[in-house]
Amino acid sequence: MADSAFSIQYLKDFMNSQIYDEEKWAFNMKLLRAAGLFGGSILLMRNYGDLMAI
């Protein structure tokens, strides 16, 4: 049981270090935007790809 409490605290510390550090936050936002654009383009092509065909 002590191992799970340690891992939860480690996870909290990791998340806080990623959010509150300006350089890491800027990189993470770029990464999130790129992943969102990629996911959105996949959904767009799956739903409306046949309309874009020549």
Side-chain angles (χ1 to χ4, degrees):
M1 187 71 183
D3 291 336
S4 65
F6 175 74
S7 63
I8 291 173
Q9 185 62 38
Y10 176 75
L11 184 62
K12 286 181 184 179
D13 292 341
F14 177 73
M15 291 300 294
N16 286 335
S17 72
Q18 292 296 313
I19 292 172
Y20 294 117
D21 186 8
E22 292 293 327
E23 291 178 8
K24 289 180 183 177
W25 179 247
F27 175 74
N28 290 335
M29 281 305 296
K30 288 180 186 178
L31 189 63
L32 286 172
R33 282 189 192 121
L37 183 63
F38 181 72
S41 65
I42 289 174
L43 288 174
L44 181 78
M45 290 303 289
R46 285 182 61 98
N47 290 329
Y48 302 109
D50 55 339
L51 297 176
M52 295 181 200
I54 295 177

